[in-house]
């Protein structure tokens, strides 16, 4: 088998040379994060810090380490004007003349760190609008449709980069040589599925339309959906999206009524948008339940969004429940 390195693959596909440089830089950081994660307890990187981030969540040691590695490495690339991270209150300026802005979730699924279960780094790359500074929030407030590249690195049994530059989705596996090597090309989400992923413990907080949809899934063959479903919940969006990209499925973290000012748990700029670009590029759908996530016009760097993504026919069925419902009280908040 001919091994195709990430860099060669992108060049063969006429990817913008400067974009390739930024992706290469991101992968330097992700390799460093992968090394630290692999060492785990040996490197003393497990457990929590005494700090909370801007979202009020306790930071794991690895949240901070991964964030610091990404910041340090991205600063070295003159093409990066600035970056915004889940673990930073405000965007961070890098190189004034840089062409790109990068947003990232340094470590997604970090509640899984201490139990040695899959986590990941999610990233999104935008063009910096002319005349803006890398520390200005407004520069980043672009809809998901403006992303020039998006992806994640899943740190699982193997470390896998999943990338789109707007021309399909490809998997690259990190080899012992330190190279990311193409291992799956032009990934397509199967249009149908019998698998869904949702945190069922929040059921009582969901909108009635979501409750009805999940109730019908649980009825299986005996219900209106006419087939038996299986359920998964890893509590790591990267791992869930990777399953969806690999074998189909529906993943959702829906709106719930616990905090009306937070439409969903996931963050638009570094979770919702990059994952939506990957899923759409692979032929799936990604929605707030009322409209495409990538059409949401962001107003804040850390804003939340309801997310439902995956196999086209299943997402369409879910949207149908919301369309039919007279109780779409979350509709305004979601858009
Ligand atoms: P993060 O670790 O970056 O804060 O993100 C965790 C997210 C997401 O990855 C996952 O799908 C979800 O939170 C899990 O939430 P629950 O703990 O409510 O299951
Ligand atoms: Mn996350
Ligand atoms: Mn995170």
């Amino acid at each position: 088998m001919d091994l195709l390195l990430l860099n060669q693959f992108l060049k063969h596909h006429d990817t913008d040379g400067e974009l390739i440089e930024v992706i290469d830089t991101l992968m330097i950081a992700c390799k460093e994060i992968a090394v630290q994660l692999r060492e785990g307890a040996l490197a003393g990187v497990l457990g929590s810090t005494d700090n909370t981030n801007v979202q009020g969540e306790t930071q794991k040691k690895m949240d901070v380490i991964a964030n610091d590695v990404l910041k340090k490495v991205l600063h070295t690339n003159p093409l990066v004007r600035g970056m915004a991270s889940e673990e930073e209150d405000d965007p961070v300026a890098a190189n004034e003349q840089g062409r790109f802005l990068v947003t990232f979730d340094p470590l997604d699924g970090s509640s899984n760190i201490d139990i040695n279960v899959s986590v990941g780094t999610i990233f999104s790359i935008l063009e910096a609008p002319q005349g803006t500074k890398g520390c200005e929030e407004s520069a980043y407030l672009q809809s998901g449709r403006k992303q020039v590249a998006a992806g994640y690195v899943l740190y699982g049994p193997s470390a896998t980069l999943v990338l789109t530059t707007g021309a399909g989705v490809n998997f690259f596996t990190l080899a012992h040589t330190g190279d990311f090597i193409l291992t799956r090309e032009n990934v397509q989400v199967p249009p149908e599925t019998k698998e869904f992923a949702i945190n069922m413990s929040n059921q009582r907080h969901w909108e009635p339309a979501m409750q009805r949809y999940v109730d019908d899934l649980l009825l299986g063959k005996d219900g209106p959906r006419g087939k038996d479903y299986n359920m998964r919940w890893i509590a790591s969006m990267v791992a869930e999206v990777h399953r969806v990209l690999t074998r189909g499925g529906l993943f959702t973290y829906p709106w719930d009524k616990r905090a009306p000012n937070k439409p969903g748990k996931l963050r638009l700029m570094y979770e919702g948008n990059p994952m939506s670009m990957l899923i759409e590029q692979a032929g799936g759908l990604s929605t707030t339940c009322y409209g495409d996530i990538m059409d949401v016009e962001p107003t804040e760097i850390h804003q939340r969004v309801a997310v439902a993504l995956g196999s086209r026919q299943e997402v369409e069925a879910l949207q149908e429940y919301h369309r039919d419902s007279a109780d779409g009280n979350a509709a305004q908040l979601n858009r």
Side-chain angles (χ1 to χ4, degrees):
M1 181 174 96
D2 273 349
L3 298 182
L4 200 52
L5 306 187
L6 169 63
N7 196 286
Q8 294 169 333
F9 176 88
L10 292 174
K11 280 188 187 143
H12 286 176
H13 287 78
D14 294 328
T15 312
D16 181 311
E18 294 190 335
L19 185 58
I20 297 178
E21 283 185 43
V22 175
I23 293 167
D24 281 343
T25 303
L26 273 165
M27 288 313 107
I28 292 170
C30 289
K31 275 185 247 180
E32 171 64 26
I33 296 167
V35 167
Q36 302 235 23
L37 285 168
R38 202 172 310 133
E39 294 279 308
L42 291 174
V45 298
L46 304 188
S48 298
T49 67
D50 296 330
N51 304 327
T52 51
N53 64 15
V54 67
Q55 346 246 346
E57 300 159 345
T58 302
Q59 289 177 311
K60 295 280 178 186
K61 285 185 195 164
M62 263 318 293
D63 284 323
V64 177
I65 292 167
N67 187 54
D68 288 349
V69 169
L70 281 156
K71 261 199 314 186
K72 181 189 74 189
V73 176
L74 285 172
H75 264 105
T76 65
N77 189 324
L79 291 162
V80 176
R81 192 176 305 184
M83 60 201 89
S85 161
E86 179 190 352
E87 306 303 340
E88 298 284 333
D89 296 7
D90 302 304
V92 177
N95 300 295
E96 224 169 279
Q97 304 305 320
R99 182 178 148 199
F100 298 106
L101 301 171
V102 184
T103 71
F104 50 85
D105 176 350
L107 206 66
D108 176 65
S110 56
S111 71
N112 282 327
I113 280 282
D114 298 343
I115 58 167
N116 205 8
V117 168
S118 296
V119 291
T121 297
I122 311 173
F123 60 87
S124 159
I125 306 177
L126 296 161
E127 297 264 1
Q130 264 197 338
T132 56
K133 291 201 166 66
C135 59
E136 282 171 7
E137 184 179 35
S138 59
Y140 296 78
L141 301 181
Q142 309 179 37
S143 81
R145 300 271 172 225
K146 300 273 178 61
Q147 295 173 105
V148 291
Y152 60 79
V153 174
L154 170 64
Y155 310 104
S158 61
T160 304
L161 164 66
V162 174
L163 178 69
T164 182
T165 57
V169 176
N170 301 290
F171 291 0
F172 304 85
T173 303
L174 181 58
H176 63 93
T177 53
D179 297 308
F180 280 96
I181 294 171
L182 179 70
T183 43
R184 234 184 115 180
E185 202 170 349
N186 194 21
V187 173
Q188 293 290 312
V189 181
E192 281 181 81
T193 186
K194 291 181 172 181
E195 201 160 55
F196 71 101
I198 191 166
N199 184 340
M200 286 293 294
S201 67
N202 298 327
Q203 184 171 25
R204 68 194 183 284
H205 305 300
W206 304 332
E207 281 192 287
M210 184 57 84
Q211 306 231 15
R212 282 195 296 275
Y213 167 72
V214 173
D215 283 349
D216 285 352
L217 297 184
L218 297 178
L219 287 172
K221 271 203 178 93
D222 305 329
R225 303 303 309 283
K227 54 183 174 179
D228 289 335
Y229 282 78
N230 195 12
M231 205 201 84
R232 289 283 183 276
W233 189 251
I234 307 173
S236 169
M237 188 191 200
V238 168
E240 318 272 8
V241 169
H242 201 67
R243 185 184 60 250
V244 169
L245 285 168
T246 303
R247 67 176 191 216
L250 177 122
F251 163 82
T252 179
Y253 212 113
W255 181 91
D256 75 46
K257 63 176 186 275
R258 279 171 297 178
N261 61 333
K262 287 183 190 167
K265 176 176 185 185
L266 299 171
R267 281 59 55 107
L268 176 64
M269 300 302 294
Y270 40 80
E271 291 174 322
N273 276 340
M275 293 313 204
S276 298
M277 185 172 180
L278 289 169
I279 291 289
E280 282 196 15
Q281 283 288 322
L285 290 178
S286 185
T287 177
T288 64
C289 292
Y290 297 95
D292 291 353
I293 287 174
M294 287 200 288
D295 289 332
V296 175
E297 287 298 336
T299 54
E300 284 173 63
I301 199 78
H302 295 296
Q303 91 186 57
R304 313 261 180 166
V305 67
V307 173
L309 57 79
S311 295
R312 175 171 285 275
Q313 290 182 18
E314 198 55 50
V315 177
E316 281 169 352
L318 169 65
Q319 285 174 311
E320 207 51 50
Y321 280 76
H322 288 78
R323 209 169 288 133
D324 291 348
S325 104
D327 44 61
N329 63 344
Q332 281 76 26
L333 286 166
N334 282 336
R335 295 303 311 265

